[in-house]
Amino acid sequence: MKKKIKAISAKALVLTFGIGTLFSCVSDKDSPGLEWMPDMYRSPAIETYVDYGYVKERTDVEKTMKQSAKHPPMNTIPYYGKVEDLEMMLPYHRQVASSAPVTHGLQAKHGWKISEELNGDYEVAAEDKNPIVLTEENQKAIFDQGKKLFKINCVHCHGEKGDGKGPMVESGAYLGVPDFANLKELADGQKFYSIYYGKGMMGAHAPLLKNKEIWTIVHHINKLQSKDYGVGNVTEEEVSDSTSVEIAEQQ
Ligand code: HEC
């Protein structure tokens, strides 16, 4: 009996060792060899913009159709920043046009404030003043920052000069982008409103930009519309091309 157990355990030992050796040997010296249950060491990363419908040669069509990146819950506000910026972090109080659920996908069930009016609060938004007040000291940094944000988020449609001739328009992919030179009468509050909620073919930027960033861009648009915009005598040259001002610095 004892002999039998010994023989079995010896066989088991050889087998285990043999299998172990087999699985650990692969020709690529950078490869860890064959892995048992690789998910144990390499958990599938849950990240934004990843298509979870496709996992290791398996395609789950239903999941492929689902959005992996979601908007943050409505009215989420950052918990950092300066006290004087607090008001800008609070949820925007203006209501969006009644058509927005259809035209811009902004649903009341997600917390968007939908008006019963066709134009929403667009007209009254003209009363809203830019809470970022320009001074001689801060304006250069604000213009630089606005230019930078505009470059990242808007130039592909609106063009660097704001003439409505961005690469997407030039390529023929997009139509109806206005020249800011023709919108000089547009109040700051309405610019904010349209950027925040979107307008016509332009999508809503509220999920992409903080209110403070939108107001900063509004200053930049004003600068594009009028070279003299700003405190004192600001010439175009004084507003540098530098994009070195970090976003963090403004927050
Ligand atoms: C996909 C293209 C596209 C992008 C990106 C885009 N816009 Fe627009 N924008 C448009 C179009 C089209 C209109 C005209 C909307 C209308 O009047 O029907 C418009 C209109 C505007 C207006 C005028 C709104 C009004 O009330 O008349 C402003 C201001 C504006 N955009 C600013 C911005 C800013 C700032 C950004 C970046 C944060 C931006 N846009 C990004 C296409 C775009």
Side-chain angles (χ1 to χ4, degrees):
M1 187 68 185
K2 246 187 177 177
K3 252 187 181 174
K4 226 178 183 181
I5 291 174
K6 251 189 184 168
I8 290 171
S9 57
K11 270 183 197 157
L13 199 75
V14 171
L15 211 68
T16 324
F17 189 71
I19 290 173
T21 317
L22 258 177
F23 281 104
S24 57
C25 292
V26 279
S27 53
D28 181 358
K29 66 178 169 44
D30 291 329
S31 163
L34 293 175
E35 294 170 358
W36 290 101
M37 304 186 196
D39 284 0
M40 300 267 287
Y41 345 81
R42 261 175 275 281
S43 59
I46 303 294
E47 284 167 9
T48 44
Y49 302 117
V50 171
D51 175 4
Y52 291 109
Y54 183 78
V55 179
K56 291 202 199 93
E57 279 83 47
R58 279 177 284 127
T59 306
D60 182 337
V61 178
E62 207 178 300
K63 278 206 190 111
T64 309
M65 307 307 283
K66 280 193 179 139
Q67 196 184 12
S68 64
K70 300 259 155 97
H71 295 165
M74 206 50 197
N75 300 335
T76 304
I77 60 165
Y79 62 88
Y80 59 89
K82 296 180 191 148
V83 178
E84 58 266 31
D85 295 339
L86 202 65
E87 205 171 313
M88 267 186 280
M89 291 182 196
L90 296 178
Y92 186 43
H93 62 291
R94 298 288 182 203
Q95 294 186 330
V96 68
S98 57
S99 60
V102 179
T103 57
H104 288 77
L106 309 179
Q107 310 291 339
K109 67 176 178 194
H110 294 142
W112 296 97
K113 301 183 184 90
I114 317 287
S115 164
E116 289 180 0
E117 309 286 325
L118 202 63
N119 273 339
D121 284 344
Y122 184 61
E123 304 303 330
V124 280
E127 295 164 11
D128 301 340
K129 299 274 167 278
N130 195 329
I132 304 174
V133 179
L134 295 180
T135 64
E136 282 201 30
E137 291 74 43
N138 72 9
Q139 62 182 352
K140 190 183 166 300
I142 290 169
F143 288 143
D144 278 352
Q145 178 72 4
K147 189 175 192 173
K148 181 177 175 180
L149 290 166
F150 189 77
K151 215 172 193 175
I152 297 169
N153 297 283
C154 327
V155 158
H156 49 291
C157 285
H158 285 279
E160 208 137 331
K161 296 187 197 120
D163 54 8
K165 294 188 183 139
M168 270 176 80
V169 178
E170 294 286 90
S171 74
Y174 222 80
L175 286 174
V177 182
D179 182 346
F180 288 145
N182 299 328
L183 294 175
K184 286 192 179 167
E185 300 303 310
L186 198 63
D188 281 1
Q190 284 177 309
K191 285 178 183 140
F192 181 95
Y193 183 95
S194 294
I195 300 166
Y196 188 93
Y197 284 131
K199 188 180 183 214
M201 297 288 278
M202 173 168 72
H205 288 85
L208 306 174
L209 295 164
K210 294 186 198 120
N211 295 0
K212 186 176 182 180
E213 291 171 325
I214 300 182
W215 283 121
T216 305
I217 297 176
V218 169
H219 277 308
H220 177 66
I221 296 175
N222 290 348
K223 189 79 198 158
L224 290 173
Q225 288 177 321
S226 158
K227 279 184 183 165
D228 301 330
Y229 180 75
V231 182
N233 232 349
V234 213
T235 60
E236 184 72 344
E237 292 75 57
E238 278 180 65
V239 181
S240 83
D241 267 341
S242 135
T243 49
S244 61
V245 186
E246 287 304 314
I247 294 179
E249 217 175 280
Q250 290 284 317
Q251 285 165 350

